[in-house]
């Protein structure tokens, strides 16, 4: 199919090599080539072809995705793939923006076995689980409790005579609920999205399991019922930590898809007139459209950068823990908590902005933006609800203030809290990304001190830390967000500095995005910078001007920047986001193919006839 002339023109501009940026995003040329190979292994294999999942009922969707997920597993094994990124490539190429039915088995059942089973148990369960000879799930949440783990009611009473645990969900609120991939007792019913996953309920009534079913790499129960605590009790939370550490990159992936669709479509879509008689411009030429999408384009790159960094950091900490060193577990936990919370929340807001920036067609499943949205938005609740996780980060920051007062060294990711920040010089309208980072770190430091003063005062008054925290949860959450933004901006600036050395032309365009990210973050909290007398109104006016100027620099690069995400059309599965930009013809073809246009809607005749016969 010929290329849409608008997109053809967009691709003649640009100042950097798209393929080189793709290699950087993938982690090197070899990884790009391997990703292409794996995608083609899926896309050329007829077993992965099937009905358009956007036309399927919940039941049909589950069945079709289960069929495909089994094919994904076979293909992954056939190709001897054990790298998680490569396995995810095969998975994503097949799932058409859905979450597959066996995802929880991989991310929430196999992972904890790997983390907490002893060698005997690994032989017994991990090996067959990795071969899908046993299928598992992660049944923690109950009808009455999800966030508050200490409130869970399920019981495991040890019967010393039989060396068994007797499991019970003693109350209705104790019924295990939301359990992804749990086909034992029942499905919890239709959901907002996640149609590919059978989130189940599980009632336990005196279910007996052997003593050695308790994963015993960390804590264990001896024959006489004595509980031997793990060296570090927090390691039992490790399976949730692993998924949270992965979810920032999942957020970046989903936002990159949405931004690719919205920016390509905004170049194909012509609407209204700027100068009468001069034709309808591309909607991406409107400043308001750029103001919707370019900060999100910058955010997708920022989130990808920090998502990769978080996974590397978490893997290092897990290796340290395997050698018995727990000193970075707390930092890992609060970084994963803050990044998972902020990134997934801002991503689902961003996908929604991408959807309505495509007008009516964004609302059609032909765009796939609704599919990406409803499947992504769960990640702000699942694996730790946003506020819950931000409070974890906030409590850690309050401890950092005490550490500072006591002269205890801080973890690297919070070292800036110990830095002094001179008031900014007059900010002209091309402030660089390093100055923007300093400003964002400054705000986080001031906010942490401000919140800590309130919590301390409350603690003095009540002597109860939980009460003190509970009274200031709103500003504690804001404090955690401010810190997390400093972590994101620091990761982005660090990566762009590195790329400026290795590939100046790519680095330059990424530095523009980094500035857009930083300026957008500062303008979103401009009142704080005035209140802390770090910036003046003139500075804020100048960076507002800078933002609009940055848009003009990014405008000719925008399509190339989303092309660099390198989504194959069959992976993106969006008519608005097609690489060739041939939207209208394919929208019409897709609509005509809808089963709704195929079946004779007998209901129409049946009920309308009744109206006619009723002679109203
Ligand atoms: C084949 C390839 C497949 C690829 C697939 C690709 C993409 C798939 C995309 C998406 C799908 C995948 C996943 C996501 C979607 C669905 C799955 C969802 C699963 C679930 O939802 S499982 C259930 C999740 N539930 C929660 O997260 C519960 C949240 N609540 C808690 O974690 C805890 O209650 C709490 C809030 C942390 C409170 O803990 P508590 O012990 O009560 O008190 P605290 O004093 O706050 O903590 C005590 C102590 O422990 C430290 N701590 C807490 N948590 C952790 C942790 N996780 N790690 C380390 N340390 C932790 C805390 O800091 C305290 O330490 P102190 O030093 O202060 O004592
Ligand atoms: C798509 C999806 C898949 C899931 N898969 C699984 C799975 O496979 N296995 C599993 O075990 N669970 C699973 N879950 C459940 C998930 O882990 C819980 O929904 C999540 O932990 C939130 O807990 P909750 O539902 O009890 O919400 P609640 O904690 O009841 O949250 C309700 C509101 O209360 C607020 N709140 C609660 N506590 C506090 C507090 N201390 N301070 C301030 N505000 C508070 C929250 O911020 C929120 O606004 C899944 C959920 C979803 C949506």
């Amino acid at each position: 199919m010929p290329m849409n002339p608008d997109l053809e023109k967009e691709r003649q501009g640009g100042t950097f090599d798209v393929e080189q940026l793709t290699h950087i995003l993938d982690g090197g040329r070899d990884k790009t080539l391997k990703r292409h190979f794996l995608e083609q292994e899926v896309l050329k294999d007829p077993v992965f072809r099937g009905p358009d999942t956007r036309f399927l009922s919940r039941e049909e969707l589950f069945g079709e995705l289960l069929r495909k997920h089994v094919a994904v597993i076979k293909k992954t094994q056939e190709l001897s793939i054990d790298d998680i990124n490569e396995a995810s490539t095969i998975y994503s190429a097949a799932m058409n923006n859905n979450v597959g039915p066996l995802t929880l088995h991989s991310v929430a059942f196999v992972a904890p076995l790997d983390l907490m089973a002893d060698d005997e148990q690994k032989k017994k369960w991990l090996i067959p689980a990795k071969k899908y000879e046993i299928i598992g799930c992660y049944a923690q949440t109950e009808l009455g409790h999800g966030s508050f783990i200490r409130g869970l009611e399920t019981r495991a009473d040890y019967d010393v005579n039989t060396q068994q645990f007797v499991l019970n969900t003693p109350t209705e609120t104790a019924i295990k609920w939301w359990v992804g991939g749990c086909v034992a007792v029942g499905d919890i019913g239709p959901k907002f999205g996640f149609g590919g996953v059978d989130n189940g309920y599980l009632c336990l009534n005196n279910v007996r399991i052997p003593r050695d079913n308790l994963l015993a790499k960390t804590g264990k129960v001896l024959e006489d019922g004595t509980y031997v605590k793990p060296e570090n009790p927090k390691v039992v939370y490790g399976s949730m930590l692993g998924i949270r550490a992965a979810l920032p990159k999942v957020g970046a992936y989903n936002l990159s898809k949405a931004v690719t669709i919205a920016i390509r479509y905004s170049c194909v879509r012509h609407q209204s007139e700027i100068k009468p008689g001069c034709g309808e411009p591309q909607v991406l030429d409107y400043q308001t459209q750029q103001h919707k999408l370019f900060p999100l384009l910058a955010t997708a790159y920022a989130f990808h950068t920090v998502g990769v960094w978080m996974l590397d950091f978490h893997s290092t900490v897990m290796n340290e823990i395997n050698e018995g060193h727990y000193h970075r577990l707390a930092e890992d936990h609060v970084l994963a908590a803050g990044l998972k919370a902020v990134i997934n929340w801002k991503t689902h807001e961003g996908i929604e902005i991408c959807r309505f920036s495509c007008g009516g067609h964004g609302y059609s499943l032909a765009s796939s933006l609704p599919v990406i949205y409803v499947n992504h938005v769960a990640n702000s609740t699942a694996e730790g609800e946003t506020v819950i996780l931000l409070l974890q980060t906030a409590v850690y920051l309050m401890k950092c203030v005490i550490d500072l007062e006591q002269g205890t060294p801080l973890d690297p990711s919070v070292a800036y809290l110990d830095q002094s920040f001179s008031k900014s010089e007059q900010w002209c309208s091309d402030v660089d990304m390093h100055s923007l980072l300093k400003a964002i770190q400054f705000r986080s430091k001031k906010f942490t001190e401000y919140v800590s003063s309130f919590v301390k005062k409350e603690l003095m008054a009540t002597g109860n830390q939980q009460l003190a925290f509970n009274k200031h949860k709103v500003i504690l959450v804001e404090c955690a967000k401010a810190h997390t933004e400093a972590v994101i901006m620091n990761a982005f600036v660090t990566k762009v500095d590195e790329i400026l050395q290795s590939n100046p032309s790519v680095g330059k365009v990424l530095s523009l995005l980094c500035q857009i990210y930083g300026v957008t973050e500062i303008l979103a909290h401009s009142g704080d910078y005035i209140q802390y007398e770090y910036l003046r109104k003139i500075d804020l006016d100048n960076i507002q001007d800078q933002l609009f100027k940055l848009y003009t620099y990014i405008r000719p690069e925008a399509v190339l920047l989303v092309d660099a995400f390198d989504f194959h059309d069959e992976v993106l599965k969006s008519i608005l986001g097609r690489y060739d930009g041939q939207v209208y013809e394919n929208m019409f073809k897709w609509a005509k193919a809808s089963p709704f246009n195929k079946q004779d809607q007998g209901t129409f005749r049946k009920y309308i006839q009744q109206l006619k016969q009723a002679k109203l």
Side-chain angles (χ1 to χ4, degrees):
M1 196 168 265
M3 180 71 69
N4 170 289
D6 289 315
L7 285 186
E8 192 159 29
K9 177 166 70 63
E10 296 289 343
R11 289 175 174 134
Q12 282 151 9
T15 62
F16 68 97
D17 183 317
V18 173
E19 199 177 11
Q20 286 177 11
L21 179 48
T22 299
H23 295 164
I24 290 168
L25 291 169
D26 281 327
R29 180 173 178 276
D30 292 348
K31 294 211 171 131
T32 299
L33 295 178
K34 184 65 175 287
R35 177 171 57 80
H36 287 166
F37 164 75
L38 293 174
E39 280 172 357
Q40 282 309 314
E41 279 297 301
V42 172
L43 300 179
K44 75 184 185 189
D45 187 334
V47 78
F48 292 104
R49 288 193 205 112
D52 187 323
T53 51
R54 292 168 289 189
F55 292 135
L56 299 182
S57 69
R58 164 81 202 282
E59 292 70 20
E60 291 164 336
L61 177 69
F62 180 78
E64 173 62 5
L65 289 175
L66 188 56
R67 182 190 71 79
K68 281 185 163 181
H69 205 150
V70 167
V72 162
I73 292 160
K74 286 181 181 167
K75 180 65 76 176
T76 306
Q77 287 171 342
E78 176 197 313
L79 297 171
S80 312
I81 299 294
D82 51 24
D83 172 86
I84 183 66
N85 288 314
E86 293 179 1
S88 299
T89 295
I90 296 172
Y91 170 93
S92 305
M95 286 295 131
N96 303 146
N97 299 313
N98 292 286
V99 180
L102 297 169
T103 305
L104 274 299
H105 170 82
S106 313
V107 303
F109 178 68
V110 170
L113 287 175
D114 213 359
L115 197 68
M116 298 197 282
D118 64 22
D119 293 344
E120 270 313 297
Q121 291 171 328
K122 283 184 176 165
K123 273 194 228 123
K124 190 173 171 187
W125 292 310
L126 181 60
I127 293 170
K130 282 186 166 175
K131 290 193 275 187
Y132 293 86
E133 288 162 9
I134 52 173
I135 302 287
C137 53
Y138 186 86
Q140 175 178 294
T141 301
E142 297 172 354
L143 199 52
H145 287 93
S147 291
F148 185 50
I149 293 181
R150 276 183 284 143
L152 295 174
E153 298 172 80
T154 300
R155 295 188 58 80
D157 294 287
Y158 184 62
D159 179 343
V160 70
N161 302 316
T162 61
Q163 305 262 324
Q164 291 173 323
F165 289 108
V166 185
L167 303 183
N168 276 289
T169 48
T171 62
E172 199 166 65
T173 49
I175 295 173
K176 288 298 174 186
W177 205 264
W178 275 109
V179 186
C182 167
V183 297
V185 185
D187 181 88
I188 64 172
K191 309 183 287 282
F192 187 57
F194 250 68
V197 179
D198 51 337
N199 292 91
Y201 57 77
L202 174 66
C203 309
L204 297 162
N205 185 3
N206 288 321
V207 173
R208 287 179 167 268
I209 59 173
R211 175 174 64 92
D212 66 10
N213 276 25
L214 176 69
L215 299 183
K217 182 177 173 186
T218 51
K220 64 181 67 155
V221 170
L222 305 179
E223 287 184 10
D224 65 358
T226 311
Y227 176 53
V228 178
K229 274 190 176 172
E231 198 181 331
N232 183 319
K234 299 166 196 172
V235 76
V236 292
Y237 283 156
S239 31
M240 293 184 282
L241 176 52
I243 296 181
R244 289 173 193 158
L247 282 174
K249 195 162 174 255
V250 170
Y253 181 79
N254 291 334
L255 185 58
S256 305
K257 280 186 170 179
V259 159
T260 298
I261 295 165
I263 284 182
R264 283 180 179 164
Y265 178 66
S266 297
C267 289
V268 168
R269 186 70 169 177
H270 291 248
Q271 199 68 203
S272 314
E273 282 186 322
I274 294 181
K275 266 164 71 181
C278 291
E280 296 183 79
Q282 294 165 290
V283 293
L284 196 59
D285 288 337
Y286 290 121
Q287 189 188 55
T288 45
Q289 193 79 355
Q290 295 172 7
H291 194 49
K292 285 176 195 167
L293 296 178
F294 290 170
L296 293 176
L297 176 58
T299 301
Y301 272 92
F303 287 179
H304 174 86
T305 304
V306 77
V308 169
W309 175 85
M310 181 68 234
L311 276 172
D312 289 347
F313 183 87
H314 175 68
S315 150
T316 305
V317 173
M318 286 300 112
N319 291 336
E320 289 168 356
I321 286 173
N322 277 334
E323 287 152 23
H325 309 302
Y326 294 90
H327 60 295
R328 292 211 286 184
L329 176 59
E331 187 182 20
D332 189 24
H333 161 50
V334 295
L335 278 167
L339 288 170
K340 184 265 183 194
V342 167
I343 287 178
N344 282 289
W345 186 269
K346 286 179 81 171
T347 292
H348 85 238
E349 288 178 326
I351 297 168
E352 183 61 346
I353 291 169
C354 287
R355 183 190 64 74
F356 57 67
S357 72
C358 295
H361 298 334
Y363 192 71
S364 163
L365 294 193
S367 73
S368 278
L369 286 165
V371 181
I372 296 167
Y373 178 81
V374 295
N375 286 306
H376 170 81
V377 73
N379 295 339
S380 287
T381 306
E383 215 52 71
E385 196 275 333
T386 299
V387 164
I388 297 298
L389 296 184
L390 288 170
L391 288 169
Q392 288 291 303
T393 306
V395 168
Y396 167 84
L397 291 170
M398 295 301 107
K399 288 179 192 165
C400 291
V401 174
I402 296 166
D403 289 346
L404 273 173
E405 288 161 357
Q406 295 169 351
T408 310
L410 295 180
D411 291 326
S413 57
V414 282
Y416 70 88
L417 295 177
D418 195 17
Q419 285 170 13
S420 55
F421 292 83
S422 56
K423 294 223 179 312
S424 67
E425 300 307 317
Q426 164 91 23
W427 271 13
C428 41
S429 59
D430 63 353
V431 68
D432 72 297
M433 61 185 183
H434 298 93
S435 306
L436 296 169
L437 170 60
K438 285 270 166 262
I440 291 168
Q441 289 175 330
F442 166 83
R443 174 176 175 262
S444 175
K445 174 185 166 92
K446 292 300 284 183
F447 216 110
T448 303
E449 293 163 356
Y450 168 76
V451 172
S452 166
S453 67
F454 278 86
V455 169
K456 269 189 217 154
K457 205 155 55 183
E458 204 60 44
L459 201 50
M460 299 284 279
T462 62
N464 179 318
Q465 190 178 69
Q466 284 306 329
L467 274 181
F469 285 150
N470 201 48
K471 186 153 183 202
H472 299 291
K473 278 191 171 181
V474 171
I475 53 176
L476 278 164
V477 164
E478 290 311 308
C479 170
K481 285 181 189 172
H483 166 61
T484 304
E485 287 294 353
V487 171
I488 293 167
M489 187 66 180
N490 184 57
F492 200 9
V493 169
T494 305
K495 186 66 182 172
V496 172
D497 272 337
E498 185 191 301
I499 297 171
L500 278 166
Q501 298 308 312
S502 60
N503 191 324
S505 61
V506 169
K508 186 173 179 315
V509 74
L510 292 182
S511 71
L512 298 176
L513 292 180
C514 197
Q515 290 172 59
I516 288 177
Y517 189 86
V519 169
T520 303
E521 172 55 24
I522 289 169
L523 290 176
H525 304 285
S526 51
D528 293 340
Y529 291 96
I530 297 275
Q531 185 181 348
Y532 296 135
E533 298 176 338
Y534 189 83
L535 295 175
R536 291 162 292 274
K537 184 177 179 320
I538 178 74
D539 301 316
L540 294 167
D541 290 347
N542 282 338
I543 62 172
Q544 179 67 73
D545 292 344
Q546 175 178 355
L547 189 60
F548 294 142
K549 203 162 68 178
L550 286 164
Y551 292 167
T552 64
Y553 301 148
I554 285 296
R555 173 64 188 82
E557 316 274 9
V559 167
L560 299 168
L561 283 164
V562 297
D563 284 353
F565 291 134
D566 197 27
F567 289 113
H568 190 288
D569 278 356
E570 280 310 302
V571 175
L572 199 58
K573 213 75 183 166
S574 166
I575 290 171
L576 301 193
R578 287 172 63 97
Y579 185 82
D580 65 10
Q582 296 300 352
V583 170
Y584 297 131
E585 177 185 339
N586 286 288
M587 276 286 277
F588 190 35
K589 209 160 85 181
W590 182 83
K592 283 189 287 186
S594 164
F596 197 79
N597 291 324
K598 294 248 179 312
Q599 293 144 5
D600 165 18
Q601 296 304 320
T603 39
F604 178 82
R605 233 176 290 292
K606 179 177 154 198
Y607 294 110
I608 295 297
Q609 292 302 7
Q610 284 176 16
L611 276 180
K612 287 182 184 160
Q613 284 151 12
K615 290 193 176 31
L616 299 173

